[in-house]
């Protein structure tokens, strides 16, 4: 029987550069290839995240979602001027959140004193969507507190990309732990290779203690853009076992938490 979800993967046929992107993947990432990995691990579905190199042109992601059932959902990139009506259409198509990919873009952090961004966040809340944040852990303090205070549901990519081996000595990571009491912050256990910290087991233990398994989901980060060919899909799945020793906790992280966060069937 299939159980569980891969909550962070990218599927695309296009490999052309989007405007403003300096990255071009070496090959396409076909849907059937990703689903083959899901079948191999006995997973029932997952969440497709808009590739950063395609910017806010979400057409291909929507075309892919149209072929899939309730075991799949999508996360898009959108400009701040997107209307509530447009977002409702996306919601009906299986979109459940918006991603801000802010890695290495220090001058482009959204200005949360701009009423247009506040209105955008309000539209996310109206739809019960989440805001997925991909940002270096050292820069989380620049943005996370204001977002958390606004009350939007936050999903933090790749364990928050911590920069210190001791999770409690890491200013950005401590913000995630402190936010656990409010119950609006989720963290993806994914992509440890994107963090400068080699061993993230203590970070996952801290997340389990402070956020709880209810606020943790797992993702493969397939096909590992910018890190292609360095590991296998099974490697990414087995990392969860190394991080979370309790089998029931792993089951919850793979199945129950994703159902709640992403409205998966």
């Amino acid at each position: 029987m299939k159980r569980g979800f891969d909550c962070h993967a990218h599927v695309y046929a296009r490999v052309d550069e989007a405007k403003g992107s300096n990255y071009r993947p070496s090959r396409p990432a076909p849907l059937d290839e990703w689903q083959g990995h899901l079948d191999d691990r006995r997973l029932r579905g997952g969440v497709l995240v808009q590739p950063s190199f395609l910017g806010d042109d979400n057409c291909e992601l929507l075309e892919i979602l149209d072929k899939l059932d309730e075991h799949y959902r999508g996360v898009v990139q959108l400009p701040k001027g997107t209307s509530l009506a447009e977002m409702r259409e996306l919601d009906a198509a299986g979109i459940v959140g918006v991603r801000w990919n802010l890695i290495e873009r220090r001058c482009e952090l959204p200005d949360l004193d701009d009423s247009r961004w506040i209105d955008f966040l309000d539209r996310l809340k109206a739809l019960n969507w989440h805001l997925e944040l991909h940002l270096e852990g050292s820069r989380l303090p620049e943005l996370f507190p204001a977002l958390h205070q606004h009350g939007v549901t936050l999903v933090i990519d790749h364990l928050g990309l911590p920069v210190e081996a001791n999770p409690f000595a890491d200013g950005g990571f401590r913000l995630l732990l402190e936010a656990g009491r409010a119950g609006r912050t989720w963290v993806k256990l994914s992509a440890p290779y994107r963090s400068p910290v080699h061993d993230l087991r203590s970070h996952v233990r801290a997340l389990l203690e402070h956020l709880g398994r209810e606020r943790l989901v797992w993702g493969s980060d397939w096909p590992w853009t910018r890190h292609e060919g360095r590991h296998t899909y099974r490697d990414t799945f087995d990392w969860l076992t190394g991080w979370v020793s309790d089998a029931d906790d792993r089951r919850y992280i793979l199945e129950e938490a994703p159902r709640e966060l992403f409205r998966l069937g």
Side-chain angles (χ1 to χ4, degrees), residues 69-265:
D69 60 20
E70 71 277 5
H71 301 316
Y72 298 86
R73 294 290 184 258
V75 174
V76 293
Q77 294 182 187
L78 294 175
K80 59 178 173 284
T82 307
S83 70
L84 183 58
E86 291 172 303
M87 293 167 77
R88 288 193 190 281
E89 291 181 6
L90 293 171
D91 186 83
I95 300 303
V96 293
V98 170
R99 191 189 200 204
W100 284 358
N101 185 348
L102 303 172
I103 292 292
E104 299 176 353
R105 298 179 185 177
R106 179 167 294 276
C107 297
E108 298 183 20
L109 290 182
D111 178 5
L112 297 185
D113 290 327
D114 183 338
S115 61
R116 292 172 296 176
W117 277 125
I118 297 302
D119 291 343
F120 182 84
L121 296 177
D122 286 341
R123 291 193 286 275
L124 294 186
K125 290 164 64 176
L127 288 169
N128 194 27
W129 282 13
H130 67 267
L131 177 65
E132 181 176 322
L133 193 60
H134 188 206
L135 181 65
E136 296 94 341
S138 59
R139 297 172 62 207
L140 271 175
E142 299 177 38
L143 195 58
F144 182 88
L147 288 170
H148 185 255
Q149 184 177 13
H150 188 71
V152 66
T153 298
L154 292 169
V155 177
I156 308 301
D157 270 355
H158 309 329
L159 294 112
L161 300 179
V163 295
E164 298 288 346
N166 179 351
F168 300 99
D170 189 311
F173 197 81
R174 279 203 317 273
L175 289 175
L176 304 184
L177 301 181
E178 293 165 2
R181 292 188 294 271
R184 295 191 311 271
T185 297
W186 304 65
V187 176
K188 289 188 178 183
L189 305 182
S190 58
Y193 42 84
R194 298 190 187 275
S195 170
V197 180
H198 176 68
D199 186 349
L200 294 172
R201 285 175 295 179
S202 61
H203 296 76
V204 176
R205 286 195 296 270
L207 289 169
L208 278 167
E209 179 180 351
H210 290 265
L211 271 71
R213 65 183 188 177
E214 296 83 5
R215 297 292 176 265
L216 302 177
V217 296
W218 168 81
S220 68
D221 195 33
W222 187 84
W224 317 297
T225 54
R226 301 179 188 266
H227 296 266
E228 297 94 334
R230 299 185 186 182
H231 40 256
T232 67
Y233 193 92
R234 181 166 185 169
D235 290 336
T236 70
F237 191 79
D238 289 346
W239 288 335
L240 182 62
T241 302
W243 291 331
V244 180
S245 58
D246 184 85
D248 193 56
D249 284 345
R250 291 198 303 272
R251 180 201 61 79
Y252 198 98
I253 290 167
L254 282 169
E255 185 158 12
E256 302 302 329
R259 286 186 187 278
E260 179 181 350
L261 175 60
F262 301 111
R263 291 180 267 157
L264 288 156

Side-chain angles (χ1 to χ4, degrees), residues 3 13 21 49 67 84:
R3 300 181 66 175
S21 174
V49 179
K67 304 173 185 176
L84 183 58

